[in-house]
Amino acid sequence: LWLLPMAHHFVVSILLYLRYGATILLPGGSLARPILELASRERATVLYASPYHMNLLAKDASELQLADVRLAISTAEGLRPEIARAFASRFGRPVAQALGIIEVGLPVLNAASAASKPGSLGRPLPDYEVWLRGEDGQPVAPPTSPEKTGEICIRGPGCFDAYLDPWTPARLVLEPDGFRTGDQGFFDADGDLFLVGRRANRINMAGMKFFSEEVEAVLDAHPQLRRSRVRAREHAHLGEIPVAELEPVDPAHPPTSAELKAWCRERLPAYKIPREFRVVESLPETATGKLARSEAGG
């Protein structure tokens, strides 16, 4: 049961699955009820979706189940533990988060610890080498942690041959570090990989470095907010400060800045709390449904 946009996946994913004998089920829309009806009618065994879809399905209040699904894979963006727990509670099975990359494939899958560590990407699959690159270009020595991260780099079979436009052979991209994902992550003591955020989304406030995604996860958990976007703003003395754009559940009655600061203060260190909260009608999305980072909200 395929819920991701086909534009980025048709050749590298769907045709590959068809070649190996799989049947691909494509829902006509993204509403939970028709998706669950299709899954039940056609006895779908694998669910491949984004956290957005997992959250949508988890909120369905019908009696419909995913009785035949043996594996639910979440990819495209980071899976928040609260979404994974809600899905597991609703359907009685965990969500296995995966690191899916068009240029590489599916090198990391949380097959072993999906129930106990829903926020983890899991462990590298056989034949893949996954390592963390420090800012000096050298591997980040274990143990690592949310405070000691590195850029996730991957070597292994099945990588792309070239970029088409402009034509760029893979060897010019993959050497010497393998494929550099641009994602920052860390390994826990068991060897499970965790995603922290995109390097481009890192905020450096007076030498204190953190990621937009960390703050957004806290804001998005607020019951009066539908979604948030946190970005860095240049500051004359601090270098950068975090500012937030907010899409409220009820535009006529959004939460106040004081309420949001209090909410953040209970869950974040002081330096990670946004210095400004701005309510917007909606936040922009990319063609694949991800939060757009480069466009101005409003």
Side-chain angles (χ1 to χ4, degrees):
L1 180 56
W2 186 274
L3 302 187
L4 295 178
M6 294 178 64
H8 292 6
H9 296 273
F10 185 72
V11 173
V12 297
S13 298
I14 291 180
L15 289 183
L16 177 65
Y17 298 148
L18 291 173
R19 179 179 178 183
Y20 277 84
T23 297
I24 306 296
L25 303 174
L26 300 173
S30 60
L31 296 179
R33 183 69 61 86
I35 290 173
L36 291 172
E37 290 173 347
L38 175 63
S40 178
R41 183 172 64 252
E42 301 296 337
R43 302 188 64 182
T45 57
V46 176
L47 172 64
Y48 202 90
S50 71
Y52 168 81
H53 298 107
M54 297 299 184
N55 189 36
L56 193 71
L57 294 174
K59 291 180 177 180
D60 176 72
S62 74
E63 298 298 321
L64 292 168
Q65 295 293 323
L66 294 170
D68 296 291
V69 169
R70 56 180 173 77
L71 180 61
I73 298 177
S74 176
T75 186
E77 60 181 321
L79 175 68
R80 291 174 179 160
E82 60 269 22
I83 294 178
R85 286 191 288 267
F87 184 93
S89 175
R90 171 66 175 80
F91 296 105
R93 56 183 44 76
V95 179
Q97 187 173 193
L99 179 61
I101 303 171
I102 294 297
E103 292 91 341
V104 180
L106 205 69
V108 184
L109 174 67
N110 191 3
S113 307
S116 59
K117 301 178 186 178
S120 172
L121 291 168
R123 301 171 190 176
L125 296 177
D127 296 329
Y128 284 102
E129 177 190 359
V130 180
W131 61 285
L132 304 180
R133 183 183 189 277
E135 294 188 1
D136 59 358
Q138 299 302 309
V140 179
T144 58
S145 69
E147 289 72 40
K148 184 182 179 184
T149 68
E151 182 181 3
I152 300 171
C153 298
I154 303 169
R155 298 186 183 96
C159 287
F160 73 116
D161 293 320
Y163 286 121
L164 178 63
D165 188 15
W167 180 263
T168 309
R171 60 180 174 78
L172 299 182
V173 179
L174 301 178
E175 297 176 5
D177 298 319
F179 184 76
R180 295 178 57 180
T181 65
D183 292 321
Q184 296 285 306
F186 71 93
F187 286 101
D188 69 5
D190 298 324
D192 288 311
L193 178 64
F194 288 78
L195 184 66
V196 177
R198 296 285 296 177
R199 179 181 175 85
N201 300 335
R202 188 174 67 181
I203 301 172
N204 188 348
M205 181 175 170
M208 304 292 286
K209 299 174 183 178
F210 58 100
F211 293 90
S212 298
E213 291 90 341
E214 299 176 63
V215 186
E216 290 165 356
V218 170
L219 290 171
D220 290 354
H222 193 286
Q224 293 178 265
L225 294 181
R226 190 182 307 278
R227 204 171 192 183
S228 66
R229 178 170 67 172
V230 175
R231 295 191 285 182
R233 175 183 294 170
E234 292 187 9
H235 190 277
H237 304 295
L238 299 175
E240 295 177 334
I241 58 172
V243 296
E245 296 168 296
L246 313 166
E247 185 179 325
V249 173
D250 182 359
H253 300 91
T256 66
S257 294
E259 291 171 336
L260 292 169
K261 286 180 181 178
W263 175 270
C264 291
R265 197 175 294 117
E266 294 178 357
R267 297 164 175 82
L268 290 170
Y271 67 91
K272 295 183 182 181
I273 299 175
R275 271 37 180 186
E276 177 185 327
F277 298 94
R278 185 164 69 92
V279 175
V280 299
E281 182 178 341
S282 63
L283 290 168
E285 295 183 346
T286 67
T288 57
K290 296 181 182 180
L291 186 65
R293 297 285 178 180
S294 59
E295 300 177 31

